[in-house]
């Protein structure tokens, strides 16, 4: 009888071990889902997405499935709840996902031209149509003084450069005036208090189109997300007063706006966007393999990932000097967290 009981216990124990091993094998062999923001979900960036997927597949031996979105919230929720193993998202989106799940961690971020985190920034723009630019000057200099009571376009309230940074800048500027001393970012989220009307483009491209199609008077969007569709027409890149023009052969959603121009009235540097992982659905071992693959010299020199500056090819990142992927940690994003305090 005792022998029979011991045999049963041993069988249960072995079954548990085999079951755990089978579960672990299943988890480590299943496809990796990579979720993308609306900004990077367009057909023009399919080649770049596929190349990123190829790097992940080579590093892990697992197939990558790309989940495209039309809404920031969908992408943030997917990575936070573990329905996606990996995501490419802005710093604000990462922070929101991290707040939802402690398992969300940064994988890598693209460096600056120095090849380090020291200049790992892109730019948040406030832009107006070039023909209206003179209305947004104070004492001969471009200023945001006259954006109150305008029709304004943000990207999404989960966008770093398309909401968090510009709304913080606007509140900091106008709260110095008695009329707006109690202004908050929440007051900017809908029309009727500060802006006449507020709309959301749902992507940086969409916000820029809101401006150029005259639905909005002023729009917030970033340089990198619209860079494939525009060219500098006058002034210096990423400087207040610069004028940009939509390329003649621009793809959707700019294909109906060739030659349209806009002027920058405010430019603010923003921390580069990270690739992030959910470690409840991606193993630490796979994370380390992915980081090793992303930070390799081979990837840094891959022109499908880091597109040469002079190239007409659409891509996620431009190569002007020593750009590459670098590993960072959660604390690096604290300056964006501070904007919410």
């Amino acid at each position: 009888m005792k022998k029979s009981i011991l045999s049963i216990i041993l069988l249960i124990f072995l079954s548990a071990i085999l079951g755990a091993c089978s579960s672990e094998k299943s988890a480590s062999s299943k496809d990796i889902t990579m979720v993308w923001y609306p900004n990077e979900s367009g057909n023009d960036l399919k080649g770049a997405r596929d190349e990123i997927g190829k790097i992940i597949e080579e590093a892990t031996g697992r197939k990558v499935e790309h989940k495209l979105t039309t809404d920031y919230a969908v992408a943030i929720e997917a990575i936070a709840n573990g329905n996606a193993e990996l995501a490419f998202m802005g710093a604000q989106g990462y922070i929101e996902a991290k707040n939802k799940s402690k398992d969300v961690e940064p994988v890598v971020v693209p460096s600056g031209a120095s090849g380090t985190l020291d200049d790992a920034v892109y730019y948040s723009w406030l832009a107006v149509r070039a023909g209206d630019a003179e209305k947004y000057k104070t004492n001969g200099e471009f200023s945001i003084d006259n954006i109150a009571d305008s029709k304004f376009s943000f990207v999404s309230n989960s966008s770093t450069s398309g909401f968090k940074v510009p709304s913080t800048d606007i509140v900091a500027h106008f709260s110095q005036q008695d009329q707006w001393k109690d202004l908050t970012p929440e007051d900017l989220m809908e029309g009727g208090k500060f802006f006449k009307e507020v709309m959301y483009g749902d992507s940086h491209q969409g916000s820029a189109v809101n401006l150029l199609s005259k639905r909005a008077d002023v729009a917030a969007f970033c340089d990198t997300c619209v860079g494939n569709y525009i060219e500098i027409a006058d002034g210096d890149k990423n400087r207040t007063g610069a004028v940009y023009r939509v390329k003649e052969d621009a793809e959707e959603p700019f294909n109906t706006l060739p030659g349209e121009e806009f002027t920058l009235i405010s430019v603010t540097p923003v921390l580069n966007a990270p690739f992030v992982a959910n470690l409840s659905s991606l193993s630490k071992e796979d994370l380390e393999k992915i980081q090793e693959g992303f930070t390799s010299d081979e990837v840094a020199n891959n022109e499908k990932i880091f597109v040469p500056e002079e190239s007409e090819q659409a891509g996620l990142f431009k190569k002007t000097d020593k750009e590459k992927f670098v590993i960072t940690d959660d604390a690096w994003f604290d300056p964006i967290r501070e904007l919410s305090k």
Side-chain angles (χ1 to χ4, degrees):
M1 182 70 176
K2 287 183 178 178
K3 185 175 180 181
S4 177
I5 293 173
L6 287 172
S7 297
I8 292 171
I9 292 172
L10 182 59
L11 284 170
I12 292 172
F13 180 67
L14 288 172
S15 295
I17 291 175
L18 289 171
C21 290
S22 175
S23 175
E24 183 177 339
K25 182 178 180 181
S26 175
S28 62
S29 61
K30 72 183 185 72
D31 293 347
I32 291 175
T33 297
M34 172 89 197
V35 68
W36 299 88
Y37 268 0
N39 314 306
E40 290 78 38
S41 290
N43 288 334
D44 59 314
L45 290 178
K46 183 181 185 302
R49 292 192 302 267
D50 288 346
E51 196 68 15
I52 292 291
K54 182 179 175 182
I55 293 167
I56 298 167
E57 289 176 345
E58 290 176 349
T60 63
R62 298 166 62 184
K63 182 181 176 183
V64 172
E65 291 189 353
H66 297 284
K67 180 180 177 64
L68 309 183
T69 65
T70 57
D71 190 302
Y72 274 53
V74 171
I76 292 168
E77 193 61 35
I79 192 66
N81 63 26
N83 284 342
E85 282 74 30
L86 295 167
F88 179 59
M89 60 205 323
Q92 178 62 25
Y94 160 69
I95 290 166
E96 290 183 20
K98 181 73 171 177
N99 289 341
K100 291 174 179 285
S101 172
K102 61 179 176 55
D103 295 315
V104 175
E105 294 288 344
V107 180
V108 293
V109 296
S111 76
S114 68
T116 71
L117 290 173
D118 293 344
D119 54 352
V121 297
Y122 63 110
Y123 295 89
S124 172
W125 292 344
L126 292 187
V128 299
R129 290 183 295 279
D132 297 333
E134 290 299 315
K135 301 177 185 178
Y136 298 90
K137 284 186 175 182
T138 301
N139 298 323
E141 300 291 333
F142 284 106
S143 165
I144 65 172
D145 287 342
N146 296 326
I147 67 172
D149 201 37
S150 65
K151 292 187 291 183
F152 196 96
S153 178
F154 288 114
V155 173
S156 159
N157 58 17
S158 292
S159 173
T160 311
S161 55
F163 180 77
K164 182 61 67 173
V165 168
S167 64
T168 300
D169 287 348
I170 291 167
V171 169
H173 180 85
F174 283 93
S175 62
Q176 304 301 311
Q177 303 174 19
D178 287 342
Q179 181 184 1
W180 304 113
K181 63 182 179 181
D182 297 321
L183 189 68
T184 68
E186 289 72 24
D187 295 330
L188 307 181
M189 294 177 71
E190 57 184 37
K193 182 157 187 180
F194 182 81
F195 292 122
K196 178 188 298 182
E197 182 183 342
V198 172
M199 62 200 75
Y200 295 88
D202 297 324
S203 67
H204 289 266
Q205 294 92 328
S207 187
V209 169
N210 281 343
L211 173 70
L212 294 176
S213 61
K214 300 184 179 180
R215 288 192 289 271
D217 303 315
V218 187
F221 50 95
C222 78
D223 64 319
T224 55
C225 291
V226 300
N228 293 325
Y229 312 92
I230 61 174
E231 58 193 2
I232 191 76
D234 188 46
D236 298 323
K237 292 181 178 180
N238 287 314
R239 294 291 183 269
T240 300
V243 179
Y244 288 84
R245 180 187 302 117
V246 176
K247 293 178 180 178
E248 290 298 323
D249 59 350
E251 295 192 27
E252 292 184 347
F254 292 87
N255 57 311
T256 61
L257 299 165
E260 293 292 330
E261 295 184 347
F262 62 85
T263 301
L264 307 185
I265 63 170
S266 176
V267 177
T268 304
V270 183
L271 294 179
N272 272 354
F275 287 86
V276 307
N278 187 314
L279 296 186
S280 70
S281 53
L282 185 78
S283 70
K284 187 70 180 295
E285 180 182 6
D286 277 341
L287 171 66
E288 291 173 352
K289 289 178 180 177
I290 292 168
Q291 287 177 319
E292 182 178 356
F294 269 65
T295 55
S296 67
D297 288 341
E298 181 182 358
V299 169
N301 295 318
N302 185 331
E303 294 189 357
K304 294 181 180 178
I305 305 273
F306 291 98
V307 180
E309 187 175 28
E310 65 279 3
S311 173
E312 292 297 318
Q313 176 185 324
L316 291 170
F317 313 106
K318 286 291 185 182
K319 186 85 165 183
T320 62
D321 193 2
K322 300 177 182 177
E323 285 88 350
K324 61 182 180 179
F325 289 121
V326 291
I327 296 172
T328 190
D329 58 15
D330 178 74
W332 190 68
F333 299 95
D334 284 347
I336 302 300
R337 283 193 178 93
E338 292 296 321
L339 299 180
S340 299
K341 293 183 178 179

